[in-house]
Amino acid sequence: MKTIQTDAAPAAIGPYSQAKITGNLLYTSGQIPLVPETMEMVTGSIEAQTEQVIKNLNAVLARAGSSWDKVVKTTVFLTDMAEFGPFNAVYEKLLGGAKPARSTVAVAALPRGAKVEIELIAEV
C-alpha cells in the first residue's frame, strides 16, 4: 500500500491520509473546499465550493498518476439537497466527459461548515 500526499491539495486536518493506493486502485479521503496554500475555507456559493473541491481532487489524482477518466466512483456529501442542481452543473462541467458511478447523500453537517465534500475511487 502506498500513501499519496501533495502540497497542491489541503493537508489532512486529522489522523488520515489524502489518499491511499492499494493494488491498482486509489482511494481518496473526502475533500472539502479548503485552499491548500492557506488552509482557509472557500465560503459562499455551492458552485464556488464545488470548484475548489474538484481542484483539490484534481491535485490528488495527478499526484497518484490518475485522472477523471479513470475515476470509478465518487461519493458526494451535501448539506442541502436543494443545492443539488447548482452542484451538479459545476460537477458535470469540471469533469468533462467523465461519468463515474456516483452516490449523493444529504448530511446534517460537514467539517468546517463546508456545503460539499467528495471522495473517490480511481484506477491508477
Side-chain angles (χ1 to χ4, degrees):
M1 186 169 2
K2 179 179 178 183
T3 299
I4 298 298
Q5 194 283 324
T6 176
D7 292 338
I13 56 175
Y16 60 89
S17 303
Q18 289 174 332
K20 292 280 192 177
I21 295 175
T22 183
N24 69 332
L25 291 176
L26 170 73
Y27 294 83
T28 70
S29 293
Q31 286 288 327
I32 60 174
L34 289 172
V35 176
E37 297 81 13
T38 63
M39 292 300 288
E40 296 293 323
M41 285 284 297
V42 169
T43 57
S45 71
I46 188 70
E47 294 93 342
Q49 288 199 9
T50 301
E51 287 178 13
Q52 186 63 50
V53 170
I54 299 293
K55 183 178 178 182
N56 295 343
L57 287 168
N58 285 342
V60 176
L61 284 166
R63 178 69 179 97
S66 192
S67 58
W68 281 102
D69 63 325
K70 295 181 180 180
V71 174
V72 177
K73 175 145 189 332
T74 62
T75 304
V76 178
F77 306 93
L78 297 176
T79 57
D80 184 355
M81 276 298 184
E83 293 189 307
F84 179 81
F87 156 79
N88 205 46
V90 172
Y91 179 94
E92 182 176 23
K93 178 183 84 173
L94 295 179
L95 267 59
K99 294 189 186 225
R102 181 177 80 186
S103 299
T104 304
V105 296
V107 296
L110 290 168
R112 298 201 181 179
K115 295 179 179 186
V116 59
E117 180 174 355
I118 304 174
E119 64 184 28
L120 62 79
I121 301 167
E123 291 182 318
V124 290

